């Protein structure tokens, strides 16, 4: 049979180390079909099996070529073949070409010439390459050396890169290692107390008289010690206006004394000057402070100092009390305090100074007031002693006290009237929802109240319900008749309000201080699911609201291994038609499935009837990453939308997700839904043709979807300066209504028209 493989070499002799340590293997396909050829290179004297790290083949696997074609393989020799005990001289390299399809192989020989003494460099290993040391403490630098040669080796071991005085036993060792033997070398390092805190790279070199030098790199990090000493000293200064007035008065007195004239008319002539001087003296003078930074550490530090006000003025306290807000100090303005320079470099053991000039601005109201400021270093990498310094600045008011009293009385009456007639929330709105007919809206807020709004030409606040003194995280209508309201509180309590009975709300509590993040009623309104920050998902029997009490226990408990942020009722195996029938007939929720999302971006489908979990494939997150919101379409429970704090909106079709498990994939993904900010809330329309979202960027976005659940258009309905926390959407004919609530304390209604042709 004719030969089907033809192998040719570019050269038959290669000198290792000559600068051209490679040769080509040209393989020709003499057969009548496609064939795959592979090349293997071996050396005489190698133990089998062995690695191929001593050469590199390009292409590295194989090549498939047609009949009559040719392929070139390039063999690059990286080092001497690993012959035990080393090798110099001339050896044969066997080049073997194989083809599985043809069942043949071809061989060629290459002469490899290796020059040198034949001795191999020792091999080094170290258990640790990164070391940390406190100045003054001893650090061990261990090293293990292996002699691969057949003869004993006299080696010289050096440590380079570290100051020689740090090595207590010297920076050099001379050792003798037996053939094929090992030796351990230990260097002792002691950084002095004055050593600067930073990373010191070093290298341990091992010298063999007949082989190339080998080295091992490492890093010794000197840890910071000591502290930064802070001091603030006031320097007495005299205002320019005061100096001018004193100079004028002194000059006048000197003139009178020199002329020795005391005339009545002259004294009256001096009176306007005295009054003018007194007025100038009453102006606040600038005060200089010297901020001393004494670096008593071993670390070079770039220091900046922040100065902020710590006291709360009386008017600000009064306003905060009226608005029921927390007290916040006044903002420090640039014309009041000036710091120079803004940043200083302080070396280890050095001292630096900064100048702080205080020029108080006379207040309009009140009496002589003192303003307290705190001076605190920033960007420090060591402890500070003391942590901060306090300075006081005082100034007299410009408006007389009686005028202030009159103004305060008028302001107080106006504030009382404003508070009495004020409608709406007085803190951040956390949850909003339409009722079933879109005639009313409920909202829950951090101001501990639930408000009902009538939807007419705008929004009218028609009722306010006061809960316990805890923030309301979520509010939810009962689907049946919308006459029952469930509110989840910050302290873990769930309050059930009956609008028809006008009685006090029923209270459900499973665990105190376990925040309620989300609530969901079952389709038949007999059960209520609550999601908690501890990872508990509870099912409550609310079929008889009148008999609910605080000691009611959950009908079912499920503990997840992550904090739950959002839940939604879904049914992956149900069609849109049967889903609408399930809602309309208020059938039992035994076949319902809950989508559960929360911390670490965990997303799970939980079958409550079977108590079975089905995790969904979602990008993992850090401890501060959350699935922030989940919603499903009322008439298509297999269509779901999720949002997270990384700014993603994910759209899902959950059909057969339970049966295929982890293979469930989203139908669309919006990576940058809200300009890189977190998405706080999403809501799907009942037919899954629209999605509305609210985010940290203060925007309310409307997304048009097609039948597959993919985004076809995006529209911004509103932009606010504060984040949007909650949204909801309803569709009435060709009209869309969207409600939003957020950090601006407002509940807003937005309208749009149904122009989505992709889902019609």
């Amino acid at each position: 049979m004719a030969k089907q493989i033809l192998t040719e070499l570019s050269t038959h002799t290669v000198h290792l180390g000559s600068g051209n340590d490679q040769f080509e293997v040209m393989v020709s396909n003499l057969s009548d079909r496609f064939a795959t050829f592979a090349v293997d290179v071996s050396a005489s004297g190698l133990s089998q099996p062995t690695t191929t790290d001593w050469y590199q083949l390009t292409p590295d696997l194989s090549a498939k070529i047609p009949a009559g074609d040719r392929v070139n393989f390039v063999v690059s020799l990286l080092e001497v073949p690993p012959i035990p005990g080393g090798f110099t001289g001339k050896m044969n390299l066997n080049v073997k070409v194989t083809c599985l399809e043809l069942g043949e192989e071809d061989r060629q020989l290459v002469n490899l010439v290796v020059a040198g003494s034949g001795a191999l460099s020792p091999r080094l290993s170290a258990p640790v390459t990164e070391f940390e040391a406190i100045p003054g403490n001893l650090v061990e630098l261990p090293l293990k050396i292996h002699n691969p040669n057949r003869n004993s080796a006299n080696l010289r071991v050096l440590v380079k890169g570290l100051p020689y005085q740090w090595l207590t036993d010297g920076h050099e060792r001379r050792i003798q290692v037996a053939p094929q033997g090992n030796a351990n070398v230990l260097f002792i390092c002691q950084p002095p107390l004055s050593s600067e805190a930073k990373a010191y790279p070093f290298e341990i070199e091992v010298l063999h008289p007949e082989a190339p030098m080998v080295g091992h790199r490492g890093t010794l990090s000197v840890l910071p010690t000591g502290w930064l000493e802070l001091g603030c000293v006031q320097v007495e200064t005299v205002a320019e206006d005061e100096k001018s007035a004193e100079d004028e008065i002194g000059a006048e007195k000197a003139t009178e004394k020199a002329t020795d004239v005391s005339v009545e008319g002259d004294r009256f002539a001096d009176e306007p000057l005295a009054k003018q001087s007194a007025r100038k003296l009453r102006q606040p003078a600038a005060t200089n402070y010297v901020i001393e930074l004494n670096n008593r550490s071993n670390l070079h530090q770039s220091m900046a100092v922040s100065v902020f006000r710590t006291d709360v003025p009386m008017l600000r306290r009064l306003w905060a009390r009226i608005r029921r807000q927390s007290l916040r100090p006044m903002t420090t303005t640039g014309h009041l305090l000036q710091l120079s320079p803004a940043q200083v470099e302080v070396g280890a053991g050095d001292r630096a100074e900064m100048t702080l000039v205080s020029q108080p601005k006379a207040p309009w109201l009140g009496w002589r007031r003192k303003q307290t400021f705190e001076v605190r270093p920033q960007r420090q990498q060591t402890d500070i002693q003391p942590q901060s310094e306090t300075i006081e600045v005082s100034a007299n008011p410009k408006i007389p006290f009686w005028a202030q009293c009159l103004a305060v009385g008028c302001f107080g009456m106006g504030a009382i009237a404003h508070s009495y007639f004020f409608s709406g929330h007085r803190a951040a709105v956390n949850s909003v929802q339409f009722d079933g007919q879109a005639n009313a809206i409920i909202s829950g807020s951090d101001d501990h109240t639930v408000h009902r709004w009538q939807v007419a030409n705008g929004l009218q606040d028609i009722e306010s319900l006061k809960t316990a003194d805890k923030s309301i995280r979520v509010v939810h209508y009962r689907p049946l008749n919308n006459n029952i309201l469930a509110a989840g509180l910050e302290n873990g309590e769930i309050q059930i309000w009956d609008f028809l009975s006008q009685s006090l709300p029923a209270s459900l509590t499973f665990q105190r201080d376990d925040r309620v993040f989300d609530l969901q009623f079952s389709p038949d309104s007999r059960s209520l699911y609550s999601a908690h920050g501890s990872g508990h998902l509870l099912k409550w029997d609310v079929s008889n609201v009148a008999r609910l009490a605080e000691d009611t226990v959950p009908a079912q408990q499920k503990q997840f291994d992550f904090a739950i942020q959002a839940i939604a009722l879904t049914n992956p195996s149900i069609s849109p038609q049967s889903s609408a029938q399930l809602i309309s007939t208020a059938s039992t929720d035994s076949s319902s499935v809950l989508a559960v999302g929360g911390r670490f971006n965990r997303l799970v489908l939980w079958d409550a009837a079977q108590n079975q979990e089905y995790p969904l494939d979602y990008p993992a997150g850090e401890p501060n990453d959350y699935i922030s919101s989940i919603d499903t379409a009322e008439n298509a429970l297999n269509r779901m939308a999720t949002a997270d704090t990384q700014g993603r909106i994910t759209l899902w079709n959950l059909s057969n997700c339970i049966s295929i498990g982890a293979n469930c994939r989203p139908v669309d993904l919006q990576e940058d839904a809200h300009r890189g900010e977190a998405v706080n809330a999403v809501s799907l329309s009942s037919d899954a043709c629209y999605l509305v979202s609210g985010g940290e960027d203060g925007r309310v976005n409307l997304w048009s979807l097609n039948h597959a659940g993919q985004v076809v258009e995006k529209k911004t309905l509103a932009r606010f300066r504060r984040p949007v926390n909650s949204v909801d959407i309803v569709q009435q004919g060709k009209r869309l209504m969207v409600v939003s609530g957020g950090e601006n304390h407002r509940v807003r209604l937005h309208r749009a028209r149904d122009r989505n042709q992709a889902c019609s």
Side-chain angles (χ1 to χ4, degrees):
M1 182 176 180
K3 186 176 181 181
Q4 301 183 77
I5 301 176
L6 176 61
T7 304
E8 300 176 279
L9 302 178
S10 61
T11 180
H12 287 275
T13 302
V14 177
H15 293 268
L16 188 62
S18 61
N20 189 16
D21 303 333
Q22 64 181 19
F23 59 92
E24 293 186 9
V25 180
M26 296 158 283
V27 181
S28 300
N29 183 4
L30 303 181
S31 67
D32 57 353
R33 53 179 169 166
F34 268 91
T36 302
F37 298 91
V39 175
D40 180 67
V41 181
S42 60
S44 302
L46 286 179
S47 59
Q48 299 294 334
T50 184
T51 62
T52 60
D53 295 339
W54 55 278
Y55 73 92
Q56 182 180 6
L57 183 65
T58 306
D60 57 348
L61 296 176
S62 60
K64 190 170 185 178
I65 57 176
D69 203 351
R70 185 176 73 174
V71 62
N72 290 353
F73 293 88
V74 178
V75 180
S76 300
L77 301 180
L78 305 178
E79 59 183 28
V80 180
I83 304 299
F87 177 83
T88 56
K90 184 177 181 180
M91 71 164 60
N92 291 331
L93 299 181
N94 186 16
V95 180
K96 181 175 70 173
V97 181
T98 59
C99 180
L100 296 179
E101 290 91 345
L102 303 179
E104 291 187 8
E105 66 178 34
D106 192 15
R107 297 177 181 269
Q108 295 288 337
L109 291 179
V110 175
N111 295 323
L112 176 63
V113 179
V114 181
S117 63
L120 298 177
S121 299
R123 292 196 292 268
L124 311 181
S125 62
V128 182
T129 59
E130 303 290 336
F131 300 89
E132 292 184 349
I134 299 176
N137 292 357
L138 298 177
V139 180
E140 296 182 350
L141 309 179
L143 181 69
K144 185 176 181 180
I145 303 176
H146 174 71
N147 180 17
N149 297 289
R150 301 175 182 175
N151 301 321
S152 62
N154 294 319
L155 304 178
R156 182 186 177 196
V157 186
L158 299 173
V159 177
K160 294 185 176 181
L162 296 177
Y164 293 157
Q165 59 270 23
W166 290 15
L167 301 170
T168 58
D169 297 333
H171 70 285
E172 181 179 349
R173 300 281 193 281
R174 291 185 179 273
I175 60 173
Q176 184 173 5
V177 186
Q180 305 293 328
N182 298 319
N184 295 321
V185 180
L186 182 66
F187 289 92
I188 306 298
C189 181
Q190 185 179 23
L193 296 176
S194 59
S195 56
E196 184 178 356
K198 65 178 183 178
Y200 295 86
F202 66 90
E203 183 177 3
I204 301 179
E205 296 181 353
V206 179
L207 304 177
H208 190 287
E210 299 180 356
M213 180 271 294
V214 293
H216 184 83
R217 298 181 182 273
T219 303
L220 176 63
S221 298
V222 177
L223 301 178
T225 59
W227 67 93
L228 181 69
E229 189 177 82
L230 172 65
C232 186
V233 180
Q234 179 179 350
V235 180
E236 295 294 338
T237 58
V238 180
E240 294 297 330
D241 294 341
E242 183 178 351
K243 289 182 179 180
S244 301
E246 290 180 352
D247 293 342
E248 292 177 4
I249 296 174
E252 186 66 24
K253 289 182 178 180
T255 304
E256 292 179 357
K257 185 176 182 180
T259 57
D260 194 20
V261 176
S262 179
V263 183
E264 189 71 19
D266 293 339
R267 289 200 300 270
F268 287 114
D270 294 340
E271 186 174 356
L273 178 61
K275 291 183 178 180
Q276 183 180 3
S277 301
R279 286 197 298 270
K280 292 182 178 180
L281 289 173
R282 283 198 295 269
Q283 295 296 326
T287 304
N288 292 348
Y289 297 88
V290 175
I291 301 175
E292 299 178 350
L293 300 172
N294 193 358
N295 189 3
R296 298 184 180 274
S297 68
N298 63 337
L299 183 66
H300 181 91
Q301 303 190 53
S302 178
M303 298 299 303
V305 174
S306 65
V307 182
F308 53 92
R309 190 170 176 178
T310 58
D311 64 292
V312 182
M314 183 186 64
L315 289 180
R316 198 174 184 91
R317 293 181 186 178
L318 178 61
W319 183 249
R321 184 179 296 274
I322 294 174
R323 298 298 301 273
R324 298 182 182 179
Q325 296 176 343
S326 59
L327 297 178
R328 295 181 180 178
M330 292 286 289
T331 304
T332 304
T333 56
H335 69 272
L336 182 63
L337 297 174
Q338 296 181 357
L339 185 66
S340 177
Q343 182 173 329
V344 294
E345 300 289 334
V346 189
D350 292 342
R351 178 178 175 274
E353 291 184 353
M354 306 174 75
T355 302
L356 178 64
V357 180
S358 170
Q359 179 65 51
K361 185 177 180 180
W364 287 94
L365 302 175
W367 46 88
R368 181 180 177 87
R369 287 183 285 174
K370 293 183 179 180
Q371 301 175 1
T372 306
F373 297 89
E374 186 176 19
V375 180
R376 179 179 298 174
Q378 302 294 329
R379 307 176 189 170
Q380 74 279 0
Q381 297 175 297
T382 57
D383 293 335
I384 303 176
Q385 297 180 3
Q387 294 291 329
S388 61
E389 289 282 352
T390 302
I391 62 175
E392 289 185 351
V393 178
S394 59
N396 294 317
K398 294 182 179 180
I399 299 178
F401 185 77
W402 63 268
Q404 298 180 39
C405 293
L406 179 61
V408 168
C410 296
F411 177 82
M413 295 180 63
I416 294 174
H418 180 270
S419 177
Y420 181 80
F421 293 104
F422 181 80
S423 63
H425 291 287
R426 301 176 183 177
V429 180
N430 298 320
S431 181
V432 293
Q433 186 190 16
F434 284 101
D435 66 358
Q437 302 299 323
N439 294 326
I441 295 172
I442 55 172
S443 59
S445 169
D446 283 342
D447 64 359
H448 314 155
T449 62
V450 176
H451 283 247
R452 293 180 68 194
W453 308 79
Q454 181 179 355
V455 179
N457 296 329
L459 287 180
Q460 297 181 6
D461 193 357
I462 59 176
E463 187 177 8
S464 176
L465 306 176
K466 183 68 169 65
T467 65
D469 292 335
K470 291 295 179 181
S471 299
I472 300 173
R473 301 294 305 179
V474 59
V475 290
H476 216 284
Y477 271 123
R478 187 175 73 168
L480 186 62
N481 299 329
N482 294 148
N483 60 338
I484 301 295
L485 167 68
L489 308 186
E490 188 80 11
N491 62 348
E493 181 183 359
I494 302 173
Q495 292 187 354
I496 309 296
W497 295 81
D498 189 347
F499 294 125
L500 299 180
S501 66
Q502 298 297 323
S503 60
L504 293 177
S507 178
L508 302 175
T509 304
F510 176 73
Q511 182 175 319
R512 289 292 180 184
D513 298 326
D514 189 6
R515 289 183 293 179
V516 183
F517 281 104
D518 207 355
L519 296 171
Q520 282 290 334
F521 279 96
S522 61
D524 59 0
S525 298
R526 294 178 175 272
S527 300
L528 174 66
Y529 296 92
S530 62
H532 298 261
S534 63
H536 278 106
L537 182 55
L538 308 177
K539 178 181 179 182
W540 305 86
D541 183 4
V542 292
S543 57
N544 191 344
V545 177
R547 295 186 178 182
L548 291 178
E550 190 172 1
D551 56 353
T552 302
V553 297
Q556 187 177 0
Q557 304 177 22
K558 175 63 177 179
Q559 175 67 55
F560 289 88
D561 58 351
F562 58 90
I564 304 175
Q565 187 76 16
I567 58 176
L569 184 68
T570 181
N571 198 324
S573 60
I574 202 165
S575 64
Q577 295 77 12
S578 57
S579 176
Q581 182 180 3
L582 175 65
I583 300 298
S584 61
T585 58
S587 60
T588 62
D589 63 334
S590 59
S591 62
S592 298
V593 177
L594 282 174
V596 184
R599 195 179 187 188
F600 301 103
N601 286 351
R602 296 286 301 278
L603 184 59
V604 178
L605 295 181
W606 177 54
D607 189 342
Q610 304 295 328
N611 194 21
Q612 182 68 36
E613 297 182 32
Y614 302 93
L616 296 184
D617 188 11
Y618 201 91
E622 299 295 332
N624 292 329
D625 298 336
Y626 284 83
I627 300 287
S628 56
S629 180
I630 305 175
D631 193 36
T632 53
E634 181 180 0
N635 296 333
L637 289 178
N638 62 336
R639 297 283 293 277
M640 182 176 74
T642 61
D644 60 33
T645 55
Q646 286 75 57
R648 291 184 290 257
I649 293 180
T650 310
L651 298 168
W652 307 78
N653 188 335
L654 301 178
S655 300
N656 303 321
C657 273
I658 287 184
S659 61
I660 63 178
N663 294 325
C664 182
R665 293 290 185 271
V667 297
D668 199 359
L669 173 63
Q670 299 295 322
E671 291 279 0
D672 189 12
H674 278 262
R675 303 167 64 89
E677 298 289 338
V679 183
N680 296 329
V682 289
S683 179
L684 281 168
S685 61
S686 58
D687 57 0
C689 288
Y690 288 95
L691 171 73
V692 63
S693 62
E696 284 290 320
D697 61 345
R699 294 171 181 257
V700 179
N701 291 336
L702 180 65
W703 311 77
S704 300
L705 312 179
N706 57 20
H707 288 291
Q710 299 170 333
V711 174
V712 296
E713 185 182 1
K714 172 188 173 183
K715 179 182 179 182
T716 299
L717 297 181
R719 300 176 184 176
F720 303 106
R721 294 183 178 180
R722 305 292 297 277
V724 177
N725 296 333
S726 180
V727 292
D728 196 15
I729 182 173
V730 294
Q731 184 174 359
Q732 293 181 331
K734 291 296 183 179
R735 185 178 62 173
L736 299 174
M737 289 195 300
V738 175
V739 62
S740 65
E743 296 291 333
N744 59 359
H745 309 177
R746 297 290 183 264
V747 177
R748 295 294 176 87
L749 183 65
H750 320 279
R751 302 179 189 272
R753 296 191 61 83
D754 178 12
R755 298 178 179 176
N756 187 3
Q757 301 296 328
C759 196
S760 58

